Amino acid sequence: QSVLTQPPSVSAAPGQKVTISCSGSSSNIGNNYVSWYQQLPGTAPKLLIYENNKRPSGIPDRFSGSKSGTSATLGITGLQTGDEADYYCGTWDNSLSAGGVFGGGTKLTVL
Amino acid sequence: EVQLVQSGAEVKKPGESLKISCKGSGYSFTNYWIGWVRQMPGKGLECMGIIYPGDSDTRYSPSFQGQVTISADKSVSTAYLQWSSLKASDTAMYYCAKNGVTAGWDYWGQGTLVTVSS
């Protein structure tokens, strides 16, 4: 059972928009930055969003992030078949010695 | 260019020991936390523990405390994850990742698949 809660799956048609939620608590999301990761099949996770809403170099602006209170949201617009992947939220948890925590992951299907 | 290069896949028997590695390059290895992340087959990401190579400060997630040992050798910019006695339930993909402070886990290794089977 993950510290952060994500929906197991979401789906949408090509060209449409989708959002993925990530719910936590005051010890994690409420007091720390949130990051989002994309894991394409058979590959290592890749950083998509950091500090709640910033994109690393090379990440298209179709991907966006936001945070409010103890929840965060990843948005993807103009869906492409290549966006089919697992998406994870992550943050730090102040109550844990190792700190890093992830959501359970959300499988995005582009219909 | 920042890179984390992990050692190759391993096939081991229950009870055997194992040490896998993660070599960092393209950045100051001693100044950023390195984390080890487990992904069991068909499952999500779990942070096992973290190490600060500059002073070897090491912290473990509760589920992994006492089950594995994380270490680092800053002279060769390499972090390690080791087991003294593997179990079938240790079968998983293991990733190392660099922590960019507020930037989350900004670079990841390619993963090391560990298979434990009799």
Side-chain angles (χ1 to χ4, degrees):
Chain A
Q1 196 159 341
S2 303
V3 172
L4 307 178
T5 302
Q6 297 180 235
S9 63
V10 295
S11 61
Q16 297 299 303
K17 173 183 176 178
V18 71
T19 60
I20 298 172
S21 61
C22 175
S23 178
S25 67
S26 59
S27 67
N28 43 66
I29 292 179
N31 283 285
N32 292 287
Y33 286 118
V34 175
S35 305
W36 289 91
Y37 305 88
Q38 178 192 58
Q39 187 176 33
L40 295 168
T43 70
K46 180 175 81 171
L47 180 66
L48 269 187
I49 298 288
Y50 68 98
E51 290 182 11
N52 303 332
N53 56 18
K54 297 179 181 175
R55 284 174 286 106
S57 173
I59 301 299
D61 59 7
R62 299 189 299 106
F63 295 91
S64 64
S66 64
K67 178 185 131 174
S68 179
T70 59
S71 295
T73 301
L74 173 69
I76 311 172
T77 60
L79 278 171
Q80 302 173 1
T81 55
D83 295 332
E84 277 208 352
D86 294 319
Y87 292 85
Y88 296 89
C89 58
T91 187
W92 215 250
D93 194 303
N94 301 331
S95 68
L96 299 175
S97 58
V101 291
F102 295 101
T106 299
K107 169 67 178 175
L108 168 63
T109 300
V110 181
L111 302 166
Chain B
E1 178 195 8
V2 175
Q3 282 192 309
L4 294 173
V5 178
Q6 298 185 228
S7 50
E10 301 275 1
V11 179
K12 292 289 190 179
K13 290 181 167 40
E16 293 187 331
S17 63
L18 176 63
K19 190 174 188 178
I20 62 175
S21 66
C22 167
K23 183 174 177 61
S25 62
Y27 73 101
S28 178
F29 184 74
T30 54
N31 289 348
Y32 295 90
W33 290 88
I34 289 278
W36 284 97
V37 177
R38 183 176 78 174
Q39 187 168 39
M40 300 180 76
K43 302 298 184 183
L45 307 174
E46 301 172 89
C47 181
M48 304 173 69
I50 56 176
I51 186 165
Y52 191 76
D55 61 6
S56 291
D57 182 4
T58 308
R59 305 174 188 184
Y60 296 91
S61 295
S63 299
F64 297 94
Q65 180 79 49
Q67 306 305 307
V68 296
T69 302
I70 294 170
S71 60
D73 184 343
K74 59 187 178 182
S75 69
V76 289
S77 300
T78 301
Y80 302 96
L81 176 66
Q82 69 181 86
W83 295 259
S84 59
S85 180
L86 286 160
K87 301 184 279 286
S89 57
D90 293 318
T91 294
M93 182 70 82
Y94 294 87
Y95 296 100
C96 63
K98 167 185 168 289
N99 188 265
V101 192
T102 60
W105 303 103
D106 54 1
Y107 291 92
W108 293 68
Q110 82 277 21
T112 296
L113 179 62
V114 174
T115 303
V116 184
S117 174
S118 54

